[in-house]
Amino acid sequence: MKNLITLLLSLMWVGSLNAQEDLLQELEGLEEPQTNYAYATFKSIRIVNGHSIEMPAANELQVVISHRFGRINEGASELFGLDQANIRLGLEYGLTDWLEVGVGRSNVRKTYDGFLKLRLLRQSEGERNFPVTVSYVSGIMVNTLPWRDETRDNLFSSRLSFNHQVLIARKFSESFSLQVTPTLIHRNLVETIEEPNDVLALGVGFRQKLNSSLSINVEYFHLLTEYTADNFEPSLSIGLDIETGGHVFQLFFSNAQAMTENLFVAETTGSWGQGDIHFGFNVNRVFNLKKNR
C-alpha cells in the first residue's frame, strides 16, 4: 500500500511539471516577437573628421569643439605644429531619434556650415533582421573670407559648397565596427577651369574597441575624381577615442587640417609620406534638453 501511494504521488508530481511546461510554452507563444537594434556602433557622432552613423537622441544637444594644429614636420621652432591652431565650434541637436540638425563655424576660410542627418535604416536582429545601419547627410558650407579676386564678381552663390553622403555601417561585434561612406562634394566656384566642380570620394572608417573606455578609430577618404586625385591627397586619420561619462575625447593624427567636407575630402594637401601630419582633437559634450515631468 505504501508503495502504491508513493507511485501515485510521483505521477502527480510529474504531471504537475508537464502542466507547468505546457503553460510556459503557451505563454511564450503569446509573447510578441521582438526586434533588437544595434547600438553604440561608434562612440561619437564623428569617426574622426567625417560623420559616423551615430546621432543625438531626441531633444539631446551635443556640443563639439574641434582643434587641428599645424604640421608636425615644421619642427621645434613651431613646437611641432602646436604654435598653430585651427578650431571649429559645432552644435548638433536631435529633432527626433532619426533626424538631427547641425551647425558649425570654422576659422579655416571663416567657414559656416550646416547639415541634416537622417537615419534611413537600422541594423537589427530578431523579428526584423537587417545587416547594416544606413543614414544620409546633406550639408552646406559658406566661405566668408574677404573677396580678393577682382576678376570675378563677389556673388554669394560663388561662396557656397555642398556635400552629400550615404553612411553605411555595420557593428560586427562588441569590439569591431565598419562604415563605408560614398561622398559627393560640389563647389559652386573652383580655382581653375580644369578643376571640376564635383568631386566623388569613397570613405572607409572603422572602430576597434580596446576596453570599455578606449577605442582606435581609422578613417580614409579615397578620391575617385581623376583631376582631384592627381592634384590632392586622400585624407587619412588615425585616432584614439576616450569616453568619460558625458564626454567623448578624440585624439588623432591626420594629414587634413580642415574640418569641413569640402576641404578635408576634396582639398587635402598634406602627405603622410612627407610628414605633413597634424595632431588634433575633438571634445564632445552631451546635454539632455528634455523636460522632466
Side-chain angles (χ1 to χ4, degrees):
M1 186 67 178
K2 185 176 180 181
N3 291 336
L4 178 60
I5 293 173
T6 302
L7 177 61
L8 289 174
L9 291 174
S10 299
L11 291 173
M12 290 175 63
W13 182 68
V14 172
S16 175
L17 288 179
N18 289 333
Q20 291 178 21
E21 289 180 1
D22 291 341
L23 180 60
L24 288 173
Q25 290 175 359
E26 289 179 8
L27 291 175
E28 289 176 358
L30 293 175
E31 290 182 358
E32 294 184 0
Q34 293 185 346
T35 299
N36 298 315
Y37 292 101
Y39 66 95
T41 304
F42 293 91
K43 275 297 182 184
S44 174
I45 50 182
R46 294 289 191 278
I47 298 179
V48 178
N49 290 314
H51 289 275
S52 76
I53 53 95
E54 299 300 331
M55 300 172 60
N59 301 306
E60 183 179 273
L61 176 68
Q62 297 203 20
V63 179
V64 184
I65 302 172
S66 303
H67 272 76
R68 307 291 185 270
F69 295 98
R71 296 179 176 181
I72 292 175
N73 62 4
E74 293 181 336
S77 64
E78 294 293 324
L79 200 59
F80 302 98
L82 296 182
D83 280 353
Q84 309 164 28
N86 289 324
I87 187 171
R88 178 183 179 272
L89 301 177
L91 299 174
E92 302 193 19
Y93 181 71
L95 299 173
T96 69
D97 286 331
W98 49 268
L99 178 64
E100 73 157 289
V101 60
V103 294
R105 201 275 189 182
S106 168
N107 66 338
V108 181
R109 299 186 185 178
K110 301 187 184 300
T111 300
Y112 290 86
D113 66 274
F115 66 88
L116 290 174
K117 184 190 290 187
L118 172 67
R119 181 186 292 125
L120 302 174
L121 298 165
R122 193 170 179 184
Q123 181 182 340
S124 60
E125 60 182 16
E127 180 186 16
R128 180 184 179 189
N129 285 283
F130 200 76
V132 294
T133 297
V134 180
S135 297
Y136 170 68
V137 175
S138 180
I140 183 171
M141 292 137 283
V142 185
N143 178 346
T144 65
L145 279 175
W147 194 260
R148 302 187 186 281
D149 190 346
E150 297 179 356
T151 65
R152 295 174 173 175
D153 292 333
N154 182 12
L155 302 175
F156 178 73
S157 60
S158 298
R159 296 176 172 274
L160 300 180
S161 298
F162 305 86
N163 77 287
H164 301 278
Q165 296 179 300
V166 179
L167 318 178
I168 307 168
R170 176 171 174 79
K171 186 176 184 179
F172 287 90
S173 68
E174 287 300 315
S175 299
F176 182 76
S177 301
L178 176 70
Q179 178 174 301
V180 178
T181 310
T183 300
L184 169 64
I185 305 295
H186 175 82
R187 290 82 55 85
N188 279 357
L189 181 66
V190 290
E191 293 291 332
T192 65
I193 297 176
E194 295 77 18
E195 190 172 354
N197 294 87
D198 294 326
V199 174
L200 289 172
L202 181 63
V204 178
F206 71 83
R207 169 181 180 253
Q208 177 61 54
K209 185 176 177 181
L210 302 178
N211 56 40
S212 60
S213 301
L214 300 176
S215 65
I216 294 174
N217 286 12
V218 176
E219 177 185 80
Y220 174 75
F221 281 91
H222 181 70
L223 295 168
L224 300 175
T225 302
E226 184 176 357
Y227 176 92
T228 309
D230 291 340
N231 290 274
F232 295 93
E233 295 288 331
S235 171
L236 172 62
S237 307
I238 303 172
L240 181 71
D241 279 14
I242 307 172
E243 184 184 15
T244 58
H247 289 78
V248 176
F249 294 93
Q250 295 180 296
L251 310 176
F252 52 84
F253 294 94
S254 176
N255 63 331
Q257 190 176 29
M259 290 158 278
T260 53
E261 285 79 6
N262 62 321
L263 299 178
F264 74 76
V265 173
E267 299 183 27
T268 290
T269 58
S271 168
W272 274 79
Q274 297 179 13
D276 302 328
I277 303 169
H278 305 268
F279 173 68
F281 64 85
N282 299 328
V283 180
N284 189 323
R285 182 68 172 93
V286 178
F287 297 92
N288 191 340
L289 303 185
K290 186 176 182 179
K291 294 182 180 179
N292 295 323
R293 294 183 178 180

